Amino acid sequence: MTPLKSEKQIEEIRKSCKMLSAMYRELIPLVKPGVKTIEIDKWVQNWIQKAGGRPAFLGVGPKNNPFPAAICISINNEVIHGIPSKRKIAASDLVSLDCGIDLGGYISDQAITLAMGGASAEARRLCAVTRECLYAGIRAAKSGDRLLQIARAVQGHALQAGFGVVHQFCGHGVGLDLHEDPQVSNIPRGPNPKLLAGMVLALEPMINMGTGEVEILEDGWTVATADDSLSAHWEHTIAILRDRTEILTEPVCGEEVA
């Protein structure tokens, strides 16, 4: 059953979300060619701890293979859950960053994709269209409407641009736990409950330059495109309210909210 949050709980989740977006604004200038992804993770862990939060991703997952970092860093054909390492960012890379903060038991979740200066025009278009898919989904998320309207909006925009939509992974409820009901698919399939005031959702389109098919790599975490094409990932945490839908995480890269 989907947990509905009270106004007080949403206010506390909002604080966590604002902290996460503030972290991203400081992090973005540091993500550049030549930087090792493990150095980014160390910076993120330090920033969150100094701010009074806890990395929400660190240690999640199975006991025999917990996620070992505070931030997922997925590059080029990697879709989500990339593990930071000694790999250096290259001048032409497409870099997806996904992070969450637990602030006193209230959890935020946000992802962005950055195109390095040497990225191709098509890579930049993929990044822009994925971001547009996110906002199309947010505009479709209204109290009293149905969940799959979000998926129709996301999928429709991606397919119109000629890109593939990842269907094996999806968005989710969030706020009191990292992953809550309902699952928020990016393709119109599965349960279609009403969107109710008090729902807090993480919408996160994952869009590929090729097909929407993906595979999990040997580390048990990193999800990559099955055809080795580029992928982009954008995410906001939103709250469904009686009279509006509020984006709780904040734009950090000049996104167009309209």
Side-chain angles (χ1 to χ4, degrees):
M1 183 175 178
T2 301
L4 300 181
K5 279 74 172 182
S6 67
E7 290 184 11
K8 182 178 179 180
Q9 288 173 325
I10 291 175
E11 175 56 29
E12 295 302 317
I13 298 167
R14 186 182 289 113
K15 291 176 184 177
S16 177
C17 288
K18 288 185 180 298
M19 178 181 285
L20 178 57
S21 299
M23 185 276 291
Y24 269 117
R25 282 190 287 271
E26 293 188 34
L27 173 62
I28 288 168
L30 308 179
V31 181
K32 55 189 177 181
V35 175
K36 295 177 182 178
T37 58
I38 191 69
E39 294 171 350
I40 295 172
D41 179 65
K42 289 178 181 177
W43 184 94
V44 168
Q45 290 200 41
N46 185 60
W47 193 100
I48 293 174
Q49 289 165 0
K50 283 186 175 180
R54 185 180 69 81
F57 293 3
L58 183 62
V60 302
K63 291 183 179 180
N64 64 341
N65 188 28
F67 192 74
I71 188 169
C72 302
I73 305 178
S74 307
I75 297 176
N76 295 331
N77 68 318
E78 297 170 351
V79 182
I80 51 173
H81 301 166
I83 298 174
S85 67
K86 294 181 179 180
R87 177 178 183 174
K88 291 183 179 180
I89 295 173
S92 60
D93 280 346
L94 202 58
V95 182
S96 295
L97 307 167
D98 186 5
C99 191
I101 291 178
D102 181 337
L103 182 62
Y106 297 95
I107 298 173
S108 51
D109 197 356
Q110 184 173 12
I112 64 174
T113 298
L114 302 176
M116 298 297 101
S120 67
E122 190 67 0
R124 292 177 182 278
R125 189 172 83 90
L126 173 66
C127 184
V129 168
T130 305
R131 186 175 60 201
E132 291 164 6
C133 286
L134 171 59
Y135 284 102
I138 292 171
R139 288 192 296 271
K142 298 177 182 178
S143 178
D145 287 347
R146 294 283 177 175
L147 182 68
L148 291 185
Q149 289 178 230
I150 298 171
R152 293 188 185 97
V154 169
Q155 184 188 56
H157 191 72
L159 294 182
Q160 188 176 33
F163 295 136
V165 182
V166 173
H167 56 87
Q168 291 162 265
F169 294 86
C170 62
H172 49 90
V174 70
L176 305 182
D177 202 347
L178 181 57
H179 293 104
E180 303 173 354
D181 288 334
Q183 292 191 350
V184 185
S185 177
N186 293 311
I187 65 170
R189 71 176 186 188
N192 192 24
K194 274 189 176 183
L195 297 172
L196 303 174
M199 285 184 173
V200 177
L201 307 174
L203 274 57
E204 49 179 323
M206 295 154 252
I207 308 299
N208 299 343
M209 194 173 289
T211 74
E213 299 298 321
V214 299
E215 58 186 10
I216 300 175
L217 302 187
E218 290 184 0
D219 61 25
W221 279 103
T222 306
V223 177
T225 57
D227 59 5
D228 207 36
S229 63
L230 295 177
S231 185
H233 177 209
W234 285 83
E235 176 182 24
H236 272 309
T237 296
I238 68 170
I240 307 294
L241 306 174
R242 288 183 178 84
D243 60 342
R244 70 189 191 283
T245 296
E246 180 182 345
I247 303 174
L248 299 179
T249 42
E250 298 173 343
V252 295
C253 293
E255 300 109 292
E256 292 296 329
V257 180

